[in-house]
């Protein structure tokens, strides 16, 4: 009888061990307050003395036309370098300028065919505010948009993999984008039935609540690739941001459609006039 009790005691201790290990593994998965950027770097306000020549020399990786208000160099949290360290539902904080610090909830994480990681979050306290941050080969491209407050921020990495956060003058940027609407001529005829047939996704296996998936192929010229390398943190980041903005638009419109990048490739094309 004593030997049987001894054996049962051993079995109980062995069975308890996996449960104790499981409990110890749970806490590291909980992320409560992650800072996206470092919060101790100084910033500079662009003044009237900052000429386009100065801007081009200091920031050769951004377009001169960008109406930059202020900027600072930042270091991103290590979590944004790997998709294994962030989860949907995590709350992150983004320190901006003048002591402003906003909170956001991650609602989408994508890693595309180019192994480019894109994190999307919804800014708390706003209806349409969001951030998008893409990472590829040590460089970042991103934007923080708060339409309700008419504030727009851009994150861009230089060729040397230095990361900068810019505040953009939203009003001037909007003015530049205003253009004449595209008007279809009256004599333009189109086979509407053919167009509708070609643009309607078909998948007989989809249920009523299943999203439609649209596969996307993006091709770009050498000139576009070189521009993105210099001004957009690399072509893969530029492609990922375009896809993320398209998906954001679809999600905000509640279309129940998923855009999936299946291929992006350079094509050789003579772009000379």
């Amino acid at each position: 009888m004593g030997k049987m009790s001894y054996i049962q005691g051993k079995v109980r201790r062995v069975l308890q061990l996996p449960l104790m290990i499981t409990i110890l593994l749970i806490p590291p998965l909980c992320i409560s307050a992650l800072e996206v950027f470092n919060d101790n770097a100084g910033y500079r306000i662009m003044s009237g003395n900052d000429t386009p020549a100065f801007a081009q020399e200091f920031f050769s990786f951004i377009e001169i036309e960008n109406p930059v208000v202020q900027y600072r160099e930042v270091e991103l949290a290590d979590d944004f370098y790997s998709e294994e360290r962030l989860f949907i539902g995590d709350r992150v904080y983004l320190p901006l300028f003048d002591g402003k610090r906003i909170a956001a909830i991650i609602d989408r994480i994508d890693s595309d065919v180019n192994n480019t990681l894109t994190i999307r979050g919804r800014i708390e306290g706003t209806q349409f505010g969001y951030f998008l941050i893409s990472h590829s080969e040590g460089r970042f491209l991103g934007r923080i948009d708060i339409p309700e407050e008419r504030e727009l921020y851009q994150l861009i990495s230089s060729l040397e993999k230095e990361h900068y956060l810019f505040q953009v003058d939203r009003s001037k940027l909007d003015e530049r984008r205003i253009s004449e609407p595209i008007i279809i001529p009256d004599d333009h005829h189109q086979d509407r039935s053919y167009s509708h047939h070609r643009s309607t996704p078909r998948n007989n296996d989809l249920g009523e609540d299943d999203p439609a998936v649209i596969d996307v192929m993006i091709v770009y010229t050498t000139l576009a690739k070189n521009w993105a390398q210099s001004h957009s943190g690399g072509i893969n980041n530029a492609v990922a941001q375009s896809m993320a903005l398209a998906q954001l638009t679809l999600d905000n419109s509640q279309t129940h459609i998923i855009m999936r990048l299946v291929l992006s490739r350079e094509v050789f094309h003579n772009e000379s006039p």
Side-chain angles (χ1 to χ4, degrees):
M1 186 68 178
K3 185 176 181 180
M4 181 63 68
S5 299
Y6 173 78
I7 294 175
Q8 290 175 345
K10 283 284 189 179
V11 171
R12 280 197 297 269
R13 282 194 291 273
V14 171
L15 291 176
Q16 288 172 354
L17 183 58
L19 178 61
M20 294 170 61
I21 294 176
T22 302
I23 293 174
L24 291 174
L25 289 177
I26 290 175
L29 298 179
C30 301
I31 301 176
S32 56
L34 173 67
E35 294 279 354
V36 178
F37 312 121
N38 60 344
D39 198 19
N40 57 0
Y43 62 91
R44 172 170 175 168
I45 299 176
M46 300 289 280
S47 68
N49 296 325
D50 293 329
T51 62
F54 163 82
Q56 185 173 22
E57 179 180 357
F58 194 78
F59 295 122
S60 59
F61 55 91
I62 67 170
E63 292 182 290
I64 302 304
E65 296 83 4
N66 280 1
V68 175
V69 177
Q70 52 189 343
Y71 63 87
R72 67 185 176 98
E73 186 175 359
V74 297
E75 291 295 332
L76 281 90
D78 293 341
D79 304 70
F80 278 78
Y81 286 82
S82 171
E83 64 177 318
E84 299 177 354
R85 303 181 65 173
L86 290 173
F87 303 90
I88 293 176
D90 284 348
R91 174 179 282 104
V92 297
Y93 294 95
L94 300 100
L96 300 175
F97 296 93
D98 303 317
K100 185 169 184 175
R101 183 171 176 265
I102 60 177
I105 301 295
I106 294 176
D107 73 332
R108 190 175 184 88
I109 300 175
D110 287 310
S111 182
D112 65 18
V113 293
N114 300 317
N115 294 320
T116 302
L117 175 65
T118 300
I119 309 294
R120 186 181 81 185
R122 303 285 185 164
I123 297 174
E124 293 185 325
T126 69
Q127 184 176 2
F128 298 108
Y130 67 91
F131 78 83
L132 292 170
I133 296 178
S134 297
H135 169 256
S136 177
E137 299 179 345
R139 300 179 70 188
F140 289 90
L141 180 64
R143 57 190 288 132
I144 304 166
D145 196 350
I146 314 175
E148 292 89 343
E149 301 178 16
R150 297 192 62 78
E151 291 185 10
L152 178 62
Y153 304 86
Q154 294 180 336
L155 172 68
I156 307 178
S157 296
S158 67
L159 289 169
E160 294 75 25
K161 298 183 180 179
E162 297 170 336
H163 320 303
Y164 289 88
L165 179 68
F166 299 88
Q167 182 178 6
V168 178
D169 190 333
R170 183 67 175 266
S171 61
K172 293 182 180 179
L173 191 64
D174 289 344
E175 289 174 1
R176 284 170 39 202
R177 292 181 175 177
I178 296 176
S179 60
E180 292 297 323
I182 298 176
I183 301 176
I184 300 176
D186 294 336
D187 58 351
H188 178 79
H189 297 285
Q190 181 180 5
D191 186 346
R192 296 184 182 275
S193 61
Y194 173 78
S195 175
H196 176 74
H197 172 74
R198 295 289 293 176
S199 62
T200 302
R202 288 189 173 184
N203 190 331
N204 295 330
D205 296 328
L206 288 179
E208 181 178 353
D209 297 326
D210 293 331
V213 178
I214 300 177
D215 291 338
V216 178
M217 178 179 70
I218 295 179
V219 295
Y220 48 84
T221 63
T222 302
L223 186 62
K225 177 183 178 180
N226 293 339
W227 177 90
Q229 286 295 106
S230 300
H231 302 299
S232 292
I235 187 64
N236 288 341
N237 279 331
V239 168
Q241 283 281 300
S242 298
M243 292 293 297
L245 285 169
Q247 187 64 57
L248 176 69
T249 303
L250 292 171
D251 291 347
N252 286 347
S253 302
Q254 300 181 2
T255 59
H256 222 44
I257 294 175
I258 295 176
M259 303 285 282
R260 179 173 59 190
L261 181 67
V262 295
L263 175 70
S264 67
R265 180 175 297 174
E266 179 181 2
V267 295
F268 299 98
H269 172 70
N270 185 5
E271 300 182 61
S272 59

